[in-house]
């Protein structure tokens, strides 16, 4: 008993010294502090600069160079032909690829696809982070509710033990029944300690994910805010479910980042195939150079300009280019099949999440009815036990039923919230109101 009082005091002290954390605040902290998300942000910034660099290749290249030389007449190798002491030289070179099989343009297009993939990876990580923080937040709330149930269960067991002690002294129950009641109290003490440990671990898990100290409590999510929606789900027929599912799939087709990444990968493979075809074509480059030279005995610079068009035709590398073309061709086909597989997998995951949401919503409703009946049954049986109408075993059976009903109700409620979070993640949506509107 002293251990239980001490445990409750620790819990009370913990709750007093902690600060309150809402779900929205937890999401903001996760989006601000999560290392995986921060790494995706840096990857996106890096891809933006790579895209910028690839676009610079589309413009002419300009280089300016200069040199200065001094002659030492004491060294025969450096002796100039005239009485020359120094010389200066400057040159300007401008080069522009005119045609190279589209490599530069297609390469820039590939970098653009890579930049978009980085954006979708960032979006995917944001959705994943939100889903994970919600799951961890729900786990804390769930463990908190289980802790309350364990505390209440222990109090009921202690109250019934008090009644059993009186009845045992009066000789109306056997010693075996009395010891059974004491055993139940001890068992529920162990359950309370185990539940408290799981609650502490869930708090620690959330705090590590948010990168904050663990001295906080989470704000509850009352069932009332989802009650109307759960009721609307329960009343839907199978035909309505299929119509809503089709709308969910349409939203996912537009927003799911994994699908977009898969499409972009196919687009990149197509560009690579076009680049491989361009290897068989000649390349044309235009260049212009101008130089200025001046010796120390000359008054003005002498200049020279050269314009040049260079055409290069591959002859002996056709076999290599053909192998590259065949490889790019098969890579494209592989990417198409991979995209189809990804599409099928995402569709399956969405359908599973959708029907999990429906079943969990129905389970919340059924579990609430079962809990109401269990509470009413326990109240009646408790009175009958105190009046020596039923045995202690009958009361224990009802206690087990009540505890199981409470746990089932809490579990079904948070299963519903987790199913909602999972479906939103697959849809590529952050706002749950979009999902709720579909059912209304």
């Amino acid at each position: 008993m002293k251990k239980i009082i001490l445990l409750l005091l620790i819990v009370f002290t913990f709750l007093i010294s902690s600060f309150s954390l809402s779900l929205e605040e937890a999401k903001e902290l996760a989006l601000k502090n999560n290392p995986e998300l921060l790494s995706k942000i840096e990857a996106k910034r890096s891809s933006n600069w790579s895209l910028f660099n690839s676009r610079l290749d589309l413009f002419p290249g300009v280089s300016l160079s200069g040199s200065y030389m001094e002659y030492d007449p004491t060294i025969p190798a450096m002796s100039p032909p005239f009485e020359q002491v120094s010389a200066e030289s400057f040159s300007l070179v401008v080069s522009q690829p005119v045609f190279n099989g589209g490599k530069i343009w297609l390469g820039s297009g590939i970098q653009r696809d890579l930049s978009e993939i980085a954006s979708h990876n960032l979006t995917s990580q944001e959705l994943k982070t939100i889903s994970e923080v919600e799951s961890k937040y729900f786990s804390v709330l769930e463990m908190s509710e289980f802790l309350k149930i364990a505390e209440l269960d222990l109090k009921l067991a202690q109250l019934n033990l008090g009644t059993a002690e009186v009845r045992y002294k009066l000789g109306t129950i056997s010693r075996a029944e009395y010891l059974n009641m004491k055993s139940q109290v001890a068992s529920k003490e162990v359950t309370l300690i185990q539940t408290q440990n799981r609650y502490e671990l869930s708090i620690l898990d959330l705090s590590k994910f948010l990168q904050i100290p663990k001295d906080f409590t989470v704000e509850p999510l009352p069932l009332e805010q989802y009650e109307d929606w759960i009721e609307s789900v329960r009343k839907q027929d199978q035909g309505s479910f299929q119509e809503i599912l089709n709308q969910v799939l349409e939203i996912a087709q537009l927003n799911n980042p994994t699908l977009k990444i898969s499409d972009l990968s196919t687009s990149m493979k197509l560009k690579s195939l076009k680049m491989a075809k361009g290897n068989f074509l000649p390349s044309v480059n235009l260049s212009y150079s101008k130089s200025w030279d001046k010796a120390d005995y000359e008054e003005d610079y002498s200049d020279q300009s050269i314009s040049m068009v260079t055409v290069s035709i591959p002859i002996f590398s056709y076999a290599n280019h053909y192998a590259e073309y065949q490889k790019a061709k098969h890579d494209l086909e592989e990417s198409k099949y991979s995209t189809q597989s990804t599409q099928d997998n995402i569709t399956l995951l969405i359908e599973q999440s959708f029907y999990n949401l429906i079943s969990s919503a129905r389970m919340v409703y059924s579990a609430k009815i079962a809990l109401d009946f269990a509470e009413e049954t326990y109240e009646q049986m408790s009175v009958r036990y105190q009046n020596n109408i039923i045995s202690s075993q009958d009361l224990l059976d009802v206690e087990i039923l009540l505890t199981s009903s409470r746990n089932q109700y809490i579990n079904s409620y948070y299963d519903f919230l987790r199913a909602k979070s999972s479906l939103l993640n697959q849809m590529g949506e952050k706002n749950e109101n979009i999902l709720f509107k579909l059912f209304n």
Side-chain angles (χ1 to χ4, degrees):
M1 186 65 185
K2 291 181 179 180
K3 292 182 180 180
I4 299 303
I5 295 175
L6 179 60
L7 180 61
L8 294 176
L9 286 174
I10 292 174
V11 174
F12 179 75
T13 303
F14 173 80
L15 294 175
I16 292 297
S17 62
S18 61
F19 64 93
S20 180
L21 180 69
S22 69
L23 179 57
E24 291 304 317
E25 290 171 340
K27 289 180 184 179
E28 291 177 4
L29 286 170
L31 294 175
K32 178 182 178 182
N33 299 334
N34 185 262
E36 291 185 41
L37 182 58
L38 295 177
S39 71
K40 298 298 182 184
I41 293 175
E42 295 302 324
K44 170 56 182 171
R45 292 171 179 170
S46 175
S47 69
N48 287 342
W49 282 109
S50 295
L51 175 60
F52 177 74
N53 187 49
S54 69
R55 287 176 174 173
L56 291 179
D57 293 336
L58 299 172
F59 297 93
V62 182
S63 63
L64 178 65
S65 61
S67 64
Y68 174 79
M69 180 180 295
E70 287 190 0
Y71 296 95
D72 187 349
T74 62
I75 303 176
M78 294 188 64
S79 179
F82 306 103
E83 295 297 326
Q84 182 179 354
V85 177
S86 64
E88 299 174 4
S89 176
F90 300 94
S91 64
L92 174 69
V93 179
V94 180
S95 61
Q96 173 65 56
V98 178
F99 179 78
N100 58 0
K103 290 181 181 179
I104 296 178
W105 180 258
L106 291 170
S108 179
I110 290 175
Q111 286 297 330
R112 184 180 64 251
D113 291 341
L114 288 172
S115 179
E116 291 185 22
I117 286 175
S119 296
H120 295 314
N121 278 328
L122 176 58
T123 301
S124 177
Q125 187 60 48
E126 288 177 348
L127 292 168
K128 180 182 176 183
T129 300
I130 291 174
S131 180
E132 287 185 2
V133 74
E134 285 183 342
S135 178
K136 296 177 187 299
Y137 192 94
F138 298 153
S139 294
V140 174
L141 287 175
E142 188 176 26
M143 287 298 106
S144 176
E145 294 295 332
F146 285 152
L147 182 60
K148 293 176 183 178
I149 292 173
E151 291 171 351
L152 181 59
D153 202 21
L154 177 60
K155 290 178 181 178
L156 291 176
Q158 291 170 341
L159 179 63
N160 293 330
L161 177 60
T163 303
E165 288 177 350
V166 175
R167 292 182 60 183
Y168 175 64
K169 292 177 181 178
L170 295 175
T172 57
I173 63 173
S174 65
R175 178 172 177 77
E177 287 182 287
Y178 173 64
L179 292 176
N180 191 16
M181 298 297 286
K182 293 191 70 174
S183 174
Q184 289 298 316
V185 171
S187 176
K188 294 180 189 304
E189 288 176 352
V190 172
T191 300
L192 177 60
I193 294 172
Q194 291 174 337
T195 306
Q196 173 63 30
N197 183 56
R198 290 199 297 270
Y199 173 74
E200 294 286 354
L201 291 176
S202 65
I203 284 283
L204 180 61
D205 185 32
L206 180 59
S207 68
K208 293 297 183 182
F209 189 77
L210 299 179
Q211 303 286 304
I212 60 174
K214 65 174 185 176
D215 55 339
F216 63 87
T217 58
V218 295
E219 295 181 4
L221 297 172
L223 177 63
E224 290 74 23
Q225 70 183 74
Y226 296 105
E227 218 167 33
D228 293 340
W229 189 82
I230 290 174
E231 183 65 16
S232 67
V233 172
R234 191 180 66 85
K235 292 181 178 180
Q236 299 283 347
D237 56 24
Q238 192 61 36
S240 299
F241 285 146
Q242 187 59 50
E243 182 179 347
I244 296 171
L245 176 59
N246 291 337
Q247 296 180 54
V248 168
L249 291 172
E250 289 177 4
I251 294 174
Q253 189 68 39
L254 294 174
N255 298 335
N256 186 281
T258 303
L259 292 177
K260 291 184 177 181
I261 291 172
S262 183
D263 290 338
L264 285 169
S265 296
T266 301
S267 174
M268 290 172 55
K269 298 295 184 182
L270 179 59
K271 291 181 177 68
S272 296
L273 178 62
K274 292 179 179 179
M275 290 177 67
K277 289 181 180 179
N279 289 332
F280 296 99
L281 301 176
S283 60
V284 181
N285 295 282
L286 175 65
S287 64
Y288 169 80
S289 64
K290 186 169 185 176
S291 60
W292 297 266
D293 300 288
K294 179 180 178 297
D296 57 355
Y297 58 82
E298 296 177 325
E299 293 184 1
D300 298 319
Y301 285 92
S302 62
D303 62 286
Q304 183 181 16
S305 300
I306 300 176
S307 298
M308 183 169 52
V309 176
T310 304
V311 180
S312 175
I313 301 175
I315 297 178
F316 295 104
S317 58
Y318 267 95
N320 292 337
H321 294 332
Y322 181 76
E324 290 179 8
Y325 168 74
Q326 290 296 330
K327 179 181 181 301
K329 181 180 178 181
H330 291 297
D331 285 344
L332 176 61
E333 292 301 315
E334 182 271 336
S335 182
K336 289 180 179 179
Y337 289 124
S338 179
T339 298
Q340 182 60 51
S341 177
T342 300
Q343 175 76 47
D344 294 341
N345 291 334
I346 294 296
T347 300
L348 178 60
L349 289 174
I350 290 174
E351 291 177 347
Q352 290 175 341
S353 298
F354 179 79
Y355 286 111
N356 283 340
L357 181 66
I358 293 172
S359 62
S360 59
R362 288 174 168 174
M363 287 177 63
V364 172
Y365 177 81
S366 300
K368 183 64 171 66
I369 295 176
L371 177 58
D372 291 340
F373 287 149
E375 288 177 342
E376 183 178 354
T377 301
Y378 180 81
E379 290 176 2
Q380 294 179 4
M381 297 295 281
S382 179
V383 172
R384 298 180 69 180
Y385 175 73
Q386 293 174 9
N387 293 328
N388 200 23
I389 299 176
I390 62 172
S391 67
S392 58
Q393 186 59 49
D394 293 332
L395 183 62
L396 291 176
D397 291 341
V398 179
E399 276 188 19
I400 293 172
L401 175 63
L402 178 60
T403 301
S404 175
S405 299
R406 284 172 175 161
N407 289 333
Q408 189 177 43
Y409 173 66
I410 295 300
N411 189 62
S412 62
Y413 175 50
Y414 288 103
D415 278 349
F416 161 74
L417 294 180
R418 280 186 282 264
K420 172 202 53 103
S421 180
S422 176
L423 181 57
L424 285 172
N425 183 27
Q426 297 297 335
M427 291 171 62
E429 287 289 348
K430 301 175 184 178
N431 188 358
E432 65 182 23
N433 291 328
I434 293 176
L435 179 59
F436 292 167
K437 286 179 182 179
L438 296 178
F439 283 90
N440 291 325

